[in-house]
Amino acid sequence: MKFLKLVIIFILFNTTSFADKNMKIGSKGKLSEVDRVIKVKMYDNYYEPKSFSIKKGETIKFEVVNAGELVHEFNIANAMMHKKHRPEMERMVENEILLADSIDREKMKKMAKMDKAMAHSHSNSVLLAPKEKGDLVWKFDNAMNIEIACNVPGHYEIGMIAKVQLD
Ligand SMILES: [Cu+2]
C-alpha cells in the first residue's frame, strides 16, 4: 500500500498536467485556438528572438528550428521548474541518449520503458538536434514568471534563457 502511494506520487510529479495546474505556466494549447505564430531559431547558445512579448490568455504556436551545431531545448517553464528538469537532462547525457550534437531517439525509446523521465515527453518543451524543427502550441493563461530556456547541461548556466514579458 505504501509502495502504491509512492508510485502514485511519482506519477503525479512526472506529468506536465500536474505542473500546468500548479505551476502557473499556462497549459498546452489547441491548434484550433492559435492566435499567433512565432518563429524561433535556436543557436549556440541563445534564442532568436531573445525575448517574447505575449498577452495573457494568448495561444501561441512556436515554430522552432535548431540552427545551431548543438542539441538545444525550447522549454516554457519557470526558474524552479527548469532547475528540477536539469538533473533529468544530465541523466539523459549520462545514458548517452543526449549527445552534444545529436539525440539517440532509439535509445531514448528503450530507456523510457524503464524510466519515464528519459522519454523527454513534456508538452511544454521541444528538444531538437541540429537542423531539426518542432512546433509547440502553448496557451498563456494563468501564467507568470515565465522563462523560456534550454536545460541541456551547461546551456542554462551560460545564459540560454529568453525572457517572456506577459501583459
Ligand atoms: Cu541549449
Side-chain angles (χ1 to χ4, degrees):
M1 200 56 196
K2 220 177 192 177
F3 175 72
L4 188 65
K5 258 187 204 165
L6 278 173
V7 168
I8 290 168
I9 288 167
F10 181 77
I11 292 167
L12 279 175
F13 273 96
N14 275 282
T15 53
T16 343
S17 59
F18 174 78
D20 293 351
K21 278 179 205 134
N22 295 277
M23 296 298 193
K24 295 190 175 161
I25 59 161
S27 54
K28 188 176 195 272
K30 293 191 186 103
L31 256 180
S32 59
E33 291 174 2
V34 170
D35 296 304
R36 203 149 56 95
V37 176
I38 299 179
K39 290 184 191 294
V40 182
K41 278 188 178 173
M42 304 199 286
Y43 292 97
D44 315 317
N45 291 302
Y46 62 95
Y47 298 100
E48 196 58 60
K50 292 179 178 65
S51 64
F52 300 89
S53 184
I54 292 161
K55 288 190 190 75
K56 273 204 173 141
E58 239 184 335
T59 297
I60 308 284
K61 183 185 178 196
F62 294 96
E63 293 179 352
V64 187
V65 179
N66 186 351
E69 284 174 11
L70 303 169
V71 173
H72 294 294
E73 186 193 27
F74 181 88
N75 186 326
I76 302 170
N78 58 37
M80 202 180 85
M81 290 171 69
H82 287 310
K83 194 177 172 190
K84 271 176 72 180
H85 183 44
R86 283 200 288 281
E88 285 181 1
M89 296 288 263
E90 267 160 34
R91 289 221 314 280
M92 287 174 70
V93 172
E94 281 162 19
N95 288 306
E96 295 175 323
I97 292 169
L98 192 59
L99 307 165
D101 60 359
S102 63
I103 304 162
D104 190 336
R105 301 210 187 259
E106 278 302 308
K107 199 166 192 179
M108 190 186 239
K109 261 188 228 162
K110 269 186 218 158
M111 297 291 300
K113 283 179 189 155
M114 292 175 278
D115 183 350
K116 201 171 166 279
M118 295 301 99
H120 201 273
S121 69
H122 309 279
S123 58
N124 60 323
S125 171
V126 280
L127 181 65
L128 301 174
K131 299 190 177 73
E132 281 186 335
K133 292 175 191 178
D135 292 346
L136 200 158
V137 179
W138 199 254
K139 186 177 167 89
F140 289 84
D141 52 341
N142 196 20
M144 54 195 285
N145 301 323
I146 303 288
E147 270 183 1
I148 289 172
C150 173
N151 293 297
V152 170
H155 295 196
Y156 186 93
E157 291 82 350
I158 56 171
M160 193 163 178
I161 305 162
K163 291 286 164 202
V164 177
Q165 157 119 24
L166 278 164
D167 313 289

